[in-house]
Amino acid sequence: MPHKERRNMLIRICLALAVLLLPAAARAGSLPKGLVYLRDADPTIVQDIRYAGSHNFVGRPIKGYLAAECILSEAAAKALKAMQGKLAAKGLSLIVWDCYRPKRAVDDFLRWSRDPARTEMKAEFYPRTDKQSLFALGYLAVRSAHSRGSTVDLGIVPSSFSTPPTPAALPPLKPCTAPKGERFEDGTIDFGTGYDCLDVLGSTSNPRVGAVASANRQMLKAAMRDAGFRSYFREWWHFELANEPFNNGFDFEITASPLSEKPAR
C-alpha cells in the first residue's frame, strides 16, 4: 500500500476511535439512558428554550445550552405527551421554556448573581427584586431539580401558536409584572406574569394577578397534578415529576436532536 494511502487510512481510524471514546452524552444527539428529547416523544409540543438564547433574566445564552432543545426523563416526556393529547382536544397546546438543566448552567446562574454590575434584564424579569437575593428568596437554587431531568417550566398556548423566529436583537424590555397586552407577548393564555418573572406576582396562588389569570394557573396546576407532577408555589410555571427516576443531577451539554432540523409543528 502506498505511503500516502496508508497515512490517510491511519488518520480515518484515529478519527473513528476518537468519536467512539467520547462520553455518550458528548456525541450529538446521544443521551444518557433514560433521557429523551421531547421533540422525539411529541413534536407538537411548542418549545421556546429561553436559556439557549438571550431573552432570559441573564441576557445571554447560558453555559451548557448548545441547542434550544428540551430533554427530559422518559417518564416525564410520556406524561407531557399524554397531557398534550388532552389539551389538543380543547384547541390548546403546551409550551416548554426549560427542561433538563446542566449543573454548569446552575453554576453560571450563581456566578451571575454575585456580579452586581450585570443587571441588563432587570427591567423585565426582576424589576422589583434584588438580584443578589434571588437564591435566598427561592427563585434560583444551588442544586436545581431541573438537573435531574424530570422538572419542566411550561405554560399553555392556543394550538395555532408557533414560536416566532428568534429576533436579531432583544425585544424592548417590559416588566413581566405588567398586564397581558403590555408585557412581552409569549403567546400563552393569561397567567398573570411572563415566564421567569422573579417577583411575588409569580407565586401560583397570588390573588393580585386577577380572576382570569388565577383560574388559568389553577387549571394548569390541576392538569399537571393529574399528569403526575407537583407544583412549586413560588413559580406558576415550574413542575417536578412526583416519581422521578433519577436522584442525582446530570451535567452534560444540551445538543441538538436529530429531529431538530425538521419543523416541530
Side-chain angles (χ1 to χ4, degrees), residues 70-92:
C70 172
I71 295 171
L72 289 169
S73 68
E74 292 177 350
K78 182 179 180 180
L80 292 188
K81 177 180 175 64
M83 182 174 172
Q84 178 75 346
K86 295 178 181 179
L87 289 175
K90 302 176 182 179
L92 300 171

Side-chain angles (χ1 to χ4, degrees), residues 17-32 104 252-253 255:
L17 287 173
V19 171
L20 289 173
L21 291 172
L22 281 172
R27 301 175 206 154
S30 179
L31 299 176
R104 68 193 70 190
F252 62 89
E253 294 178 319
T255 56

Side-chain angles (χ1 to χ4, degrees), residues 50-54 56 58-63 65 108:
R50 294 290 187 86
Y51 300 147
S54 298
N56 55 58
V58 176
R60 58 166 172 76
I62 306 304
K63 292 187 183 301
Y65 287 79
D108 197 9

Side-chain angles (χ1 to χ4, degrees), residues 220-240:
L220 176 61
K221 179 180 177 180
M224 290 297 287
R225 182 184 62 239
D226 291 345
F229 291 82
R230 57 175 175 263
S231 61
Y232 177 47
F233 76 98
R234 290 191 188 279
E235 300 173 346
W236 60 259
W237 55 84
H238 178 109
F239 296 90
E240 302 175 19

Side-chain angles (χ1 to χ4, degrees), residues 55 121 123-124 169-175 182-185:
H55 190 209
M121 305 300 286
E124 178 170 348
L170 287 173
L173 299 184
K174 302 173 183 178
E182 297 179 23
R183 61 180 182 265
F184 173 76
E185 181 52 69

